[in-house]
Amino acid sequence: MPTAPAASPPRRRRWVTLGALVLGLVLALLLLAAFFPWDTLRAPVNRYVSEQTGRKFEITRHLDVALGWRQATVKFDGIEFANPSWARDPYLVRAEKAEFDIRFWELLRRRIVLPRLVLSRPSLGLQMEEDGRKTWALGKDSADPATVPVIGLIQVDDGSIDFLAKAQALDLHADFSFDSSRGDLPVDYEIKGRYRGQPMSAVGRTGNVLQLTSVGQPPFPIEIDLKVAQTRLTGKGTVAELADLDGLDAQVEMRGPNLGRLYPALGIALPQTPPYALSGNLRKNGELWEVRGLKGRLGLSDIGGDMQFDKSQQVPHLGGTLRSRVMDMDDLGPLIGLPPTARSANAVEGVAAPPGIAQVDKQKRNDPARKVLPDATLDFERLRAMNADVSYTAERIQNVRELPLDKGSVQVKLKDGVLTLDPLDLGVASGRIAGAIRIDATQNPADIRAALDIRGMQLNRLIPKVDTLKTSFGRLDGRINLSGRGNSVAAWLANSSGDVAALTGRGQFSNLLLEFLGLDGGEIIKFLLEGDHNVELRCAAVAFDVEKGVMNGRTLLFDTSDTVFHGTGSINLADERMDLIVKQAPKDKSILALRTPLRVRGTFAAPKAGVEVAPLAARGAAALALAAINPLLALAATVETGPGKDADCTEVLTEAKTPSSRAAKAGAAKAKQQPTPAGGS
């Protein structure tokens, strides 16, 4: 088989010559790049950058460039770059030396990509305007995002930064110092300024190389001790990207006077709280913030759990699970519009209580005209800033005073401006209160509805002082169904309508207490001599029709085997006043009885209980008249013939279960509807 003819010598020589020329050209270019007098281009570069940016740019001493295949390394010995005329600081950057890498091919796409930037003794003046203009945008249009360089690693030594962001109400000055003897954290920084009108300061340390954007490098270490007004945050950990804190993984501690005040800074609608001290592991990946192993105190209560805040959704979402081993009732005041008590305000070390709070506490307790219902306007505007789904459980509740709460749990859901507490479950007096509360903040005033059921509460725990009289009560059931509008708890109750009722069946009741309430002197003397004993409680019912803030007594009855009590009257939630009359009808005969109606009236802050004067005066006049004939006959005026009869408990309890007025029925029905929020499932 014939073989292919070999290439002719002239053709081979042409290929060799062409290869030599290409190689020589490449070598010449490399030699040119290596030995090119780049500093001769310093003046043209100064003019070109100044013309393109519309502000003065100057390499003050020397220019050098090292070319690579994908990027170039540019070195400036002395640099001054002016800010736009509208900026506060005259210079964007002034530095003894500057060195940066710049990507060739990104320039063709009108993008400035600087994978690395090194500054020696820099002074930076950064400013952001509310209209989007930035001093570090390098085009003539400083609001055009295409002119903002993308910077990867940044390394600084001694220097300073001034930063002004009017939209965020942030104005700060930072000083840096570099010392290699500090190990992994050689850069110290100190920050002073103001944030939203409050003084701000911070100190800390970082690694010598900071990452403004992701460049595939490992996270760098960072420490911070930050103070804004009375709020303090300390943290230690690592962060992958400084520009948006992506890849943050740090152990943080925070304390301050009120979590609700963090809303402007964080955009998270946290509740109003007493002073707090919290710690946990803070992480950020993309738009997801997480706090793991959260623990600490809210006033006198402990708190723990895990939380997540997702900003990637169209409406940011807060989720998590929280729990308290012990929750103190004083700490709930700020949540419903009350100031923290002196106990709660002084509970967190390192956070000063508001000045004079102890005196304010004392003055309020001693002021009979004070308002009891919280009247502070609740900030419902924040409820539209995010959605939420958070569960909370308190294993034990303390400092409950008259109301013996045992434990509690609630699921807090916020969807499109509608807040629901559902299910809400409270352990009270060995029973429970369960139901839901709904606040529609899309309306003004807010539409608020409460539907709560009371089941199996022990009466002797509701009135613990009676236990000294060896009382053994029955079990109490009831309900609260109220709906209305208002931007505070007081305003809502003053406009609410619905049904409030509490009822109980058979049980035991102290006869001695009963005779005191009935003003039966003869029976009291007998029991003091012979000893107290319990009488049968046949039934009891307290039920009100609520119409636009006025609670009208529908059924007020207390029936025992000894006496039946009938009540009438009303409670005004707007004026915070009450006027109730209780009439006794004994079922037995007795002497020394001063049977006269009991009256409870006055304000919520200073209720007053006493007997009706007119009936008592009538008995007194009769006694005086009979005493004029014979002193012993005066006792006749105090003889009780016992006209009381057993109540029809079935009828009483049935009546107490149903609102009678039209407005009360409509309000109760609306409260129990609890419609699904718009957009919800």
Side-chain angles (χ1 to χ4, degrees):
M1 184 175 182
T3 58
S8 62
R11 186 176 181 182
R12 183 183 303 160
R13 283 195 297 270
R14 284 198 301 272
W15 281 109
V16 172
T17 302
L18 181 59
L21 288 174
V22 171
L23 180 60
L25 180 60
V26 170
L27 290 174
L29 290 174
L30 292 176
L31 290 173
L32 178 63
F35 296 100
F36 185 81
W38 292 101
D39 197 51
T40 60
L41 298 180
R42 182 158 50 93
V45 168
N46 289 343
R47 288 193 300 270
Y48 177 79
V49 175
S50 298
E51 291 172 359
Q52 293 298 312
T53 60
R55 40 183 151 148
K56 182 182 177 182
F57 174 84
E58 184 174 4
I59 306 167
T60 57
R61 291 188 294 274
H62 184 70
L63 167 65
D64 194 15
V65 177
L67 297 176
W69 291 109
R70 299 177 57 195
Q71 63 188 29
T73 299
V74 182
K75 302 177 182 180
F76 297 148
D77 187 6
I79 180 176
E80 294 181 353
F81 193 10
N83 261 325
S85 58
W86 49 263
R88 178 181 63 182
D89 294 315
Y91 288 96
L92 171 65
V93 57
R94 299 179 74 182
E96 291 290 323
K97 294 182 179 180
E99 179 178 322
F100 61 89
D101 298 335
I102 185 168
R103 294 276 172 84
F104 292 138
W105 304 112
E106 296 293 341
L107 292 173
L108 300 178
R109 300 166 57 187
R110 296 187 66 245
R111 295 179 74 237
I112 303 171
V113 178
L114 309 178
R116 183 179 65 96
L117 172 62
V118 181
L119 298 172
S120 177
R121 297 185 181 276
S123 175
L124 304 176
L126 308 178
Q127 186 169 332
M128 291 174 56
E129 293 291 281
E130 295 184 25
D131 58 9
R133 290 178 295 169
K134 303 177 181 66
T135 57
W136 59 92
L138 301 184
K140 291 184 178 181
D141 181 4
S142 55
D144 182 3
T147 65
V148 177
V150 177
I151 301 175
L153 302 177
I154 182 170
Q155 184 175 348
V156 297
D157 50 24
D158 299 349
S160 65
I161 296 177
D162 281 288
F163 183 71
L164 175 63
K166 295 181 179 178
Q168 289 75 30
L170 181 64
D171 186 357
L172 60 85
H173 175 84
D175 291 310
F176 297 87
S177 67
F178 177 84
D179 187 343
S180 59
S181 66
R182 297 173 185 149
D184 293 337
L185 298 163
V187 177
D188 274 11
Y189 62 86
E190 181 177 357
I191 300 173
K192 293 184 178 180
R194 299 189 72 82
Y195 177 64
R196 298 195 177 276
Q198 300 293 325
M200 170 183 172
S201 64
V203 294
R205 302 188 301 164
T206 74
N208 66 327
V209 176
L210 315 181
Q211 294 172 201
L212 295 192
T213 56
S214 179
V215 290
Q217 300 292 326
F220 65 91
I222 188 170
E223 293 181 0
I224 189 170
D225 186 344
L226 171 69
K227 297 179 183 178
V228 180
Q230 290 182 278
T231 300
R232 180 175 182 179
L233 179 144
T234 59
K236 182 177 182 180
T238 59
V239 62
E241 297 185 8
L242 193 61
D244 56 10
L245 297 181
D246 201 29
L248 176 67
D249 187 347
Q251 195 68 25
V252 299
E253 296 182 3
M254 179 181 289
R255 62 183 63 225
N258 186 340
L259 282 174
R261 296 183 186 177
L262 299 179
Y263 173 71
L266 304 181
I268 306 176
L270 297 173
Q272 303 296 322
T273 69
Y276 62 88
L278 304 171
S279 65
N281 178 242
L282 178 63
R283 300 186 181 187
K284 181 179 185 292
N285 290 290
E287 294 296 321
L288 178 64
W289 291 81
E290 294 182 282
V291 179
R292 301 182 183 180
L294 176 71
K295 61 181 180 179
R297 302 193 66 80
L298 296 177
L300 297 154
S301 307
D302 69 272
I303 190 77
D306 300 292
M307 299 291 290
Q308 309 87 37
F309 186 60
D310 188 355
K311 297 183 66 176
S312 65
Q313 304 183 32
Q314 184 175 3
V315 179
H317 185 271
L318 177 70
T321 302
L322 298 173
R323 60 190 174 276
S324 294
R325 292 187 297 274
V326 178
M327 191 272 284
D328 193 286
M329 285 295 290
D330 275 7
D331 299 325
L332 292 183
L335 186 65
I336 57 175
L338 291 173
T341 65
R343 292 177 65 248
S344 183
N346 287 286
V348 176
E349 184 180 354
V351 181
I357 191 168
Q359 289 79 2
V360 172
D361 255 7
K362 185 176 181 180
Q363 289 172 0
K364 286 187 174 182
R365 287 195 300 268
N366 296 332
D367 180 11
R370 75 183 188 276
K371 293 292 187 180
V372 173
L373 300 176
D375 58 1
T377 301
L378 303 176
D379 190 356
F380 294 130
E381 177 67 29
R382 299 184 178 191
L383 300 185
R384 295 189 280 272
M386 69 177 199
N387 293 329
D389 190 349
V390 178
S391 65
Y392 171 73
T393 301
E395 297 174 9
R396 182 166 67 89
I397 302 175
Q398 69 179 14
N399 187 37
V400 292
R401 299 179 179 89
E402 290 82 6
L403 187 62
L405 287 170
D406 303 317
K407 57 185 178 180
S409 65
V410 64
Q411 188 79 22
V412 181
K413 299 177 183 177
L414 177 59
K415 178 71 173 178
D416 299 333
V418 178
L419 176 68
T420 57
L421 309 181
D422 184 12
L424 173 63
D425 196 335
L426 300 173
V428 185
S430 302
R432 60 194 295 251
I433 298 177
I437 297 175
R438 177 182 183 272
I439 301 173
D440 185 350
T442 64
Q443 305 182 46
N444 190 16
D447 178 12
I448 306 177
R449 309 177 188 185
L452 303 171
D453 287 329
I454 302 168
R455 291 286 182 267
M457 292 197 297
Q458 294 285 353
L459 291 177
N460 60 334
R461 291 198 61 202
L462 284 173
I463 315 176
K465 294 179 181 179
V466 179
D467 189 54
T468 62
L469 300 174
K470 300 180 180 179
T471 300
S472 177
F473 283 150
R475 299 170 68 86
L476 180 73
D477 295 329
R479 66 190 172 278
I480 299 172
N481 293 316
L482 294 175
S483 61
R485 290 179 177 271
N487 289 337
S488 70
V489 173
W492 167 57
L493 290 174
N495 290 281
S496 63
S497 296
D499 173 33
V500 175
L503 26 143
T504 183
R506 293 185 179 275
Q508 298 293 317
F509 195 83
S510 166
N511 205 38
L512 180 55
L513 177 65
L514 199 65
E515 303 307 337
F516 270 114
L517 294 175
L519 302 179
D520 191 338
E523 292 293 298
I524 291 172
I525 293 173
K526 182 178 71 173
F527 292 130
L528 290 177
L529 293 174
E530 298 178 2
D532 185 22
H533 68 270
N534 288 343
V535 298
E536 180 185 357
L537 171 65
R538 299 185 65 250
C539 61
V542 177
F544 292 89
D545 282 357
V546 186
E547 299 182 35
K548 295 191 177 299
V550 178
M551 301 175 62
N552 296 304
R554 177 173 76 240
T555 305
L556 304 174
L557 180 134
F558 193 90
D559 185 21
T560 74
S561 56
D562 182 86
T563 305
V564 60
F565 294 82
H566 294 276
T568 58
S570 64
I571 300 173
N572 192 312
L573 297 174
D575 297 339
E576 296 194 15
R577 302 189 70 86
M578 65 183 78
D579 192 354
L580 302 171
I581 296 177
V582 180
K583 297 180 180 180
Q584 317 94 324
K587 299 178 181 179
D588 57 357
K589 297 178 181 180
S590 179
I591 193 170
L592 297 179
L594 301 176
R595 304 290 186 182
T596 186
L598 298 173
R599 189 172 187 182
V600 181
R601 56 182 173 176
T603 66
F604 290 2
K608 298 178 181 179
V611 297
E612 281 283 79
V613 176
L616 187 60
R619 288 209 175 211
L624 287 173
L626 292 172
I629 301 172
N630 187 325
L632 293 178
L633 291 178
L635 296 176
T638 66
V639 173
E640 181 60 73
T641 57
K645 296 181 180 180
D646 288 348
D648 185 340
C649 285
T650 301
E651 181 180 343
V652 167
L653 297 179
T654 300
E655 179 184 273
K657 291 179 180 179
T658 308
S660 59
S661 75
R662 186 173 182 178
K665 289 180 180 179
K670 184 177 181 181
K672 290 186 287 186
Q673 286 175 1
Q674 299 289 341
T676 302
S681 57

